[in-house]
Amino acid sequence: MSEAFNISDEAQNYDQFGLDENPFPYSPVPAKNPEIYCGQEQATAAISSTVSTTLSTGKSKHLVVTGKYGNGKSHTLKYTRSLLRDRKDVVVGYVAQPGEGFVDIYHEFMYDLGFSEVQDIAYEYLASIAREITETNPVGANAMRSLIDEGEVLLSEIIPETIKRLSDVTQFADFARAIVHMVYEDTNLYAWQWLTAEGIRYEQRKEMEIHTALDDDTMGVRAFTALKNVLLELGYTAVFVFIDEFESIARLSSKDEQATLNSIRHLMDQNSEGLCLLFGCAPEVWQDVMSEYHAFSERIGQEVALRPLTNEHLHELVEEYLEQERIGEAVGVQPFTEDGLDMVLQRSQGNIRQVLSVCSRLLDSAAQSQQSKITAEFVQESL
């Protein structure tokens, strides 16, 4: 057996730096729910304004966040989502990339919400009907679920009125039936497949009395609008959709790209209230969209650009990461020295993805070589 490799599961010791472990990610991709965000004051101000306007007025507002690869577009969208997710009056969905058309965006949005949340929306709507036509007073999805499980409310008692009301609210009878079938054990998976635009067999649709297939952009826009209308009817303030890597639409054929942009434009036109779209997009693609698709780009209220990190932001970022794993008395950016961080900034050119990657490698190198400080000289030797 070759002895060229030295593979071990022994953990690296970072005690000399007063750290429990290396706080920097080895693969600098955005966390699902980021906890650290530094710099980008112009972007945070624009995002805060857009989100706050939607929350305070209920009126739809949209924004595109541009930035070169690695400057933090995904991190920015996910961090904003993490700020909104705990609110009870909004629904937030993250779409990693727009796919081949709007129906893919809708599919990803529904999957990000998840089966349980959509099922809770169905129970919540049943509760609103039960309060009106029965003597019970369920508040919320869990209370409604309990009343049904205990037999205090019969589904046969409230389903006909629920479908009628939902059809009026959504103007989409098939969507209404699919939402209602989310509460039936026998058909909730079929309903979920239909609602997520996955496609189901004719026999499965027939069992739920659903007549149409949800399989193109037009139906995707219609279904999304139906869901948003249900949520507003239940008292929610708005639906937030964060679409990342929007530049990938440039890989579509001209016809498909225009169809996707037209579908999103129709979505915005049909939802002047209760909708906030945030796009993450490479600046060169956004410039092409601005110049070629006026009808779409003019509906986006504002564009804000992410910028490379400054020296001040780099210090703040490194300190916050280190603070997550501090176990000793070290403070600030230790073991990084001032000239060491200057060199990191110079080598990374302020690109946050490269900063995190470089810092991770430098900390490991320093630990392995028993260096107490990460100086400019050490950075030069290590990279």
Side-chain angles (χ1 to χ4, degrees):
M1 184 178 291
S2 170
E3 295 182 354
F5 293 91
N6 181 20
I7 297 175
S8 167
D9 61 357
E10 184 178 351
Q12 177 69 54
N13 189 336
Y14 299 92
D15 285 352
Q16 67 190 91
F17 307 126
L19 298 171
D20 190 39
E21 61 181 56
N22 188 337
F24 301 102
Y26 289 112
S27 176
V29 295
K32 188 174 183 181
N33 295 301
E35 296 180 355
I36 296 175
Y37 194 89
C38 295
Q40 310 295 353
E41 289 83 0
Q42 76 291 347
T44 56
I47 293 171
S48 299
S49 172
T50 300
V51 171
S52 300
T53 299
T54 303
L55 289 174
S56 61
T57 68
K59 295 179 180 177
S60 298
K61 193 171 183 182
H62 317 296
L63 174 74
V64 61
V65 180
T66 60
K68 294 186 179 301
Y69 288 102
N71 271 351
K73 296 188 295 297
S74 300
H75 185 83
T76 299
L77 294 188
K78 288 185 174 181
Y79 187 79
T80 307
R81 178 180 66 163
S82 71
L83 297 177
L84 285 167
R85 273 200 123 157
D86 292 335
R87 290 184 64 108
K88 301 297 184 188
D89 63 335
V90 302
V91 165
V92 189
Y94 173 80
V95 178
Q97 52 96 12
E100 303 295 318
F102 183 80
V103 74
D104 286 346
I105 295 174
Y106 169 79
H107 171 84
E108 289 296 318
F109 172 81
M110 293 296 284
Y111 255 85
D112 194 56
L113 293 191
F115 178 93
S116 296
E117 184 159 350
V118 175
Q119 191 177 52
D120 281 352
I121 291 169
Y123 275 111
E124 214 174 321
Y125 200 85
L126 286 176
S128 71
I129 300 299
R131 289 195 295 271
E132 286 190 32
I133 68 173
T134 72
E135 294 181 352
T136 61
N137 186 32
V139 178
N142 288 335
M144 188 69 239
R145 191 180 277 111
S146 297
L147 286 177
I148 293 172
D149 291 344
E150 293 164 7
E152 293 189 36
V153 173
L154 299 177
L155 283 174
S156 58
E157 187 180 6
I158 57 175
I159 288 298
E161 182 63 20
T162 303
I163 291 178
K164 179 177 178 299
R165 298 276 189 91
L166 271 175
S167 297
D168 291 342
V169 168
T170 62
Q171 297 294 301
F172 194 175
D174 283 348
F175 186 89
R177 293 190 186 94
I179 286 288
V180 165
H181 275 277
M182 286 296 292
V183 305
Y184 287 102
E185 286 188 12
D186 292 345
T187 53
N188 58 21
L189 289 179
Y190 298 158
W192 173 243
Q193 285 178 285
W194 189 87
L195 285 167
T196 53
E198 282 197 343
I200 59 175
R201 296 199 307 273
Y202 170 76
E203 294 77 12
Q204 294 166 338
R205 279 198 281 126
K206 188 177 178 183
E207 190 174 347
M208 297 185 289
E209 299 182 81
I210 291 175
H211 305 291
T212 55
L214 205 169
D215 58 0
D216 61 26
D217 286 0
T218 302
M219 294 295 284
V221 171
R222 196 176 174 193
F224 184 95
T225 302
L227 176 66
K228 191 222 69 177
N229 288 343
V230 171
L231 292 168
L232 294 194
E233 178 77 4
L234 286 171
Y236 287 76
T237 303
V239 178
F240 290 83
V241 188
F242 298 164
I243 305 175
D244 205 357
E245 296 186 19
F246 197 65
E247 61 272 12
S248 64
I249 64 165
R251 294 197 292 268
L252 301 177
S253 67
S254 178
K255 180 182 176 184
D256 289 342
E257 181 180 353
Q258 186 159 5
T260 301
L261 295 177
N262 278 337
S263 294
I264 300 173
R265 176 170 66 86
H266 290 148
L267 181 78
M268 291 189 280
D269 288 351
Q270 292 173 26
N271 294 278
S272 59
E273 293 184 351
L275 176 63
C276 179
L277 298 172
L278 256 62
F279 301 88
C281 186
E284 57 273 17
V285 172
W286 182 245
Q287 288 304 315
D288 290 343
V289 170
M290 291 263 291
S291 61
E292 296 176 22
Y293 302 101
H294 299 285
F296 170 78
S297 61
E298 286 172 356
R299 284 165 172 77
I300 306 292
Q302 191 179 354
E303 172 195 353
V304 65
L306 298 178
R307 298 170 182 165
L309 294 178
T310 63
N311 190 281
E312 181 184 351
H313 295 148
L314 174 64
H315 277 66
E316 185 184 351
L317 179 76
V318 170
E319 185 173 347
E320 288 204 28
Y321 267 93
L322 290 169
E323 200 59 41
Q324 288 184 313
E325 300 298 337
R326 289 280 192 217
I327 54 173
E329 296 179 354
V331 295
V333 296
Q334 297 176 27
F336 292 89
T337 64
E338 293 294 324
D339 64 347
L341 282 186
D342 288 344
M343 186 61 68
V344 169
L345 186 64
Q346 182 182 330
R347 298 294 290 265
S348 64
Q349 297 184 327
N351 183 293
I352 187 170
R353 183 179 295 164
Q354 291 187 35
V355 165
L356 295 176
S357 176
V358 165
C359 287
S360 179
R361 287 159 50 198
L362 288 171
L363 200 63
D364 272 1
S365 296
Q368 288 160 8
S369 58
Q370 295 295 306
Q371 294 285 326
S372 60
K373 294 182 179 178
I374 299 176
T375 62
E377 185 180 2
F378 183 77
V379 175
Q380 275 189 314
E381 291 173 354
S382 303
L383 298 180

